[in-house]
Each structure stands twice: as structure tokens, then as C-alpha cells.
């Protein structure tokens, strides 16, 4: 996808669906004989983010940067230690939020004991949001939208190929008409030949159903292909946020620059384009003082000893935000 195409994709006007305001998630670890935590893991450290209806928001960063915690938070599986999540509906009070997820590995994410129609309608059973007598019809309808034949509804997950199982996982995510679908490395467990088919299916479903995706990925090629906007995470913070074209083509934060330098550009297998950085991510039990990236940053100066806020990027009109005093204005 060209930068211009990315630009026009990101430029569509969309209302905010979900706002996260200074969200922190801290976990106590272990406990002493008085029951006090021995340590605290600082998984998310002040996330400010707005998710827009109908967009794909890519979230990238190394393992341990907080991507998975962010996904769990959006799914409602964990609560923030502090900060707020605000859902914004056209008709407030009409419904509660519904976030579904497509996991990396469809083999382990689908219940092997259930026939496909029950797998697909699991969220509806859990939410009790449709009559039982309608479940088979709903499953068949969604299955046909993802390219699974309706006569296979009584088969079990192991009777399908990896690509078909991921289609079933997508159907399961779609069946309850979610506000947001979290795509957690949705193609990384699949054969190369199938990856493009799944990405194209996700893009087609988004166009036809105005779906909102949060795409969590180590794979910059996938993010470049899918995302309208990109959030780069480091040690539980967003360090850069903006349109995919700006963040991926003209990265401003030194961390984003390092990540992208480590990613091969063209002519390599998608699996080889993994995000990495030359030194190890520090642990999140004792957070660094000042800029979290200071110990690894090749551009660090004396001014980096104070905490950095996520501020508009210097000299840029497009709403890009960056957590670095050299780059923010
Ligand atoms: Fe590097 Fe300093 Fe910017 Fe942090 S604030 S990213 S240490 S230059």
C-alpha cells in the first residue's frame, strides 16, 4: 500500500467510539507474610487513546510492552487500576460494550468439543443476546460471510484447515455484532499462502460491515497493509500515535525509528519482518525515571531526565503525537 493510499484511508472522518484517559494497570506480584505485595508490575502507565468507529488501529511494540494487557482491558477481562474507559454511543444507555477477539492460533482458541455452529455462536450464548432457536441460522449466515460452507455447521474444528479455522474464529467474533474486534496477531500462526486471504477477508468485512479493529501485531508488514492509524507502545505507554502513513513512513520517536530500522522492507517473507530493537526491554517492576526510553535512546540528552508527555509532534498539522521533547512542540 502506498503512502498516499494510507493517507486517504486515515483521512476518513469517524466519530470516537471509545476514549481511554490516563489508564494504568498495575499488578501486585507475590506477597510477604503480612499479605503485602512483594513487587508491582506496571503493565500500563498512562494510556490516552481514542478509538474511532470504522477504523483499524494498529498497536505495535516489543513483547512485554503492554499490548496484551491493553487487549485484556478492552475485552473487560481486567479493570484499570486508575483512569477511565468511556464508550460513546449515539444512544447512550442503549447497550453495554461488546468487544470480541480473534486470537493468533485458531487451533487452540476454538473449543474442539463443539460443532462449528456452536463455536460461532458462543458469544451469543454467553451474552444471552439471541434466542436459542435462532442460533443455527445466525451461525450459518455469519459462516457464509467468512467463506465457510453452511453444510459444514455440524463438523468440528479439527476437521478444518488452519485458514478455515481462522475464518471460523472471525465468524465467532462477528456473530454478536461487536463494537470492536481485537485482532491479536491474526495471521502469524498461518501459512504464508493463507495469510493474505485472511487479511483480505478482514478488510472486506470491515468495508461491508463498518467494523472497528484494533490490530495487535509484531509484524509491521501486516500493520502497514491494514492500519489507518498506529500506536507505538513502550513499557506500558504510547510513545507515538498517528496516521499509519506518518508513523510508518516518517517515524518521529527514536524508539519507533529503531523499530522500523530493524524491519526489512521489501522482498522478504512477512514472517521475517518482526519488530525488534537492539537492546532488551527493561522490566516493568521498577519503572525508569524521566523518559522511559532514556537508557536505550541514542538521542538522550540531559533534558530527558524529566517524565515525557504524549504531545503534538513539532511542525506537523496532522494530529500526530509523540512522547519525546525533541520531537514534540
Ligand atoms: Fe530519547 Fe530523550 Fe526523546 Fe526520550 S525524551 S525518546 S530519551 S530524546
Amino acid at each position: 500500500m502506498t503512502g498516499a493510499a494510507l493517507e486517504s484511508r486515515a483521512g476518513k472522518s469517524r466519530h470516537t467510539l471509545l476514549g481511554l484517559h490516563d489508564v494504568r494497570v498495575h499488578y501486585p506480584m507475590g506477597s510477604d507474610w503480612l499479605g503485602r505485595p512483594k513487587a508491582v508490575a506496571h503493565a500500563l502507565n498512562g494510556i490516552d487513546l481514542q478509538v474511532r468507529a470504522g477504523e483499524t488501529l494498529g498497536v505495535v511494540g516489543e513483547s512485554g510492552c503492554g499490548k496484551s494487557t491493553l487487549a485484556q482491558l478492552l475485552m473487560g477481562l481486567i479493570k484499570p487500576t486508575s483512569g477511565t474507559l468511556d464508550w460513546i454511543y449515539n444512544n447512550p444507555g442503549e447497550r453495554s460494550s461488546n468487544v470480541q477477539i480473534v486470537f493468533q492460533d485458531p487451533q487452540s482458541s476454538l473449543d474442539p468439543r463443539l460443532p462449528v455452529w456452536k463455536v460461532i455462536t458462543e458469544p451469543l450464548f454467553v451474552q444471552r443476546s439471541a434466542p436459542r432457536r435462532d442460533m443455527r441460522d445466525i451461525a450459518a449466515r455469519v459462516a457464509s460471510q467468512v467463506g465457510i460452507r453452511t453444510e459444514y455447521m455440524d463438523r468440528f474444528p479439527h476437521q478444518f484447515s488452519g485458514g478455515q479455522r481462522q475464518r471460523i474464529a472471525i465468524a465467532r467474533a462477528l456473530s454478536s455484532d461487536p463494537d470492536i474486534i481485537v485482532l491479536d496477531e491474526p495471521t502469524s500462526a498461518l501459512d504464508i499462502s493463507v495469510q493474505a486471504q485472511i487479511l483480505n477477508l478482514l478488510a472486506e468485512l470491515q468495508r461491508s460491515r463498518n467494523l472497528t479493529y484494533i490490530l495487535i501485531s509484531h509484524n509491521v508488514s501486516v500493520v502497514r497493509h491494514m492500519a489507518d492509524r498506529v500506536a507505538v507502545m513502550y513499557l506500558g505507554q504510547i510513545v507515538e500515535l498517528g496516521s499509519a502513513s506518518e508513523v510508518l513512513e516518517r517515524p518521529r520517536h527514536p524508539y519507533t525509528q529503531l523499530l522500523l530500522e530493524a524491519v526489512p522492507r521489501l522482498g522478504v517473507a512477512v514472517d521475517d519482518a518482526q519488530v525488534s530493537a537492539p537492546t532488551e526491554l527493561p522490566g516493568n517492576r521498577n519503572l525508569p525515571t524521566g523518559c522511559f526510553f532514556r537508557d536505550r535512546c541514542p538521542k538522550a540528552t540531559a533534558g530527558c531526565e524529566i517524565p515525557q508527555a504524549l504531545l503534538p509532534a513539532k511542525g506537523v498539522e496532522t494530529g500526530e503525537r509523540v512522547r519525546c521533547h525533541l520531537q514534540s512542540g
Side-chain angles (χ1 to χ4, degrees), residues 156-196:
F156 291 85
H158 73 270
Q159 294 174 286
F160 293 86
S161 68
Q164 286 174 321
R165 280 197 290 266
Q166 198 60 316
R167 288 173 187 265
I168 292 166
I170 293 167
R172 178 177 60 181
L174 285 175
S175 67
S176 59
D177 193 19
D179 301 301
I180 291 176
I181 299 179
V182 176
L183 304 170
D184 188 2
E185 306 277 5
T187 56
S188 58
L190 302 176
D191 290 345
I192 296 275
S193 58
V194 180
Q195 290 181 0

Side-chain angles (χ1 to χ4, degrees), residues 253-255 291-295 297-301 303-306 308 323-327:
H253 195 282
Y255 177 64
C291 173
F292 284 5
F293 191 50
R294 186 159 55 113
D295 291 345
C297 181
K299 299 181 179 169
T301 64
C304 307
E305 288 158 7
I306 56 172
Q308 304 291 310
R323 196 183 286 273
C324 171
H325 70 98
L326 297 181
Q327 305 295 332

Side-chain angles (χ1 to χ4, degrees), residues 43-61:
L44 295 181
N45 298 299
I47 300 289
D48 287 301
L49 182 65
Q50 295 186 330
V51 181
R52 301 170 184 165
E55 76 168 344
T56 298
L57 174 66
V59 180
V60 300

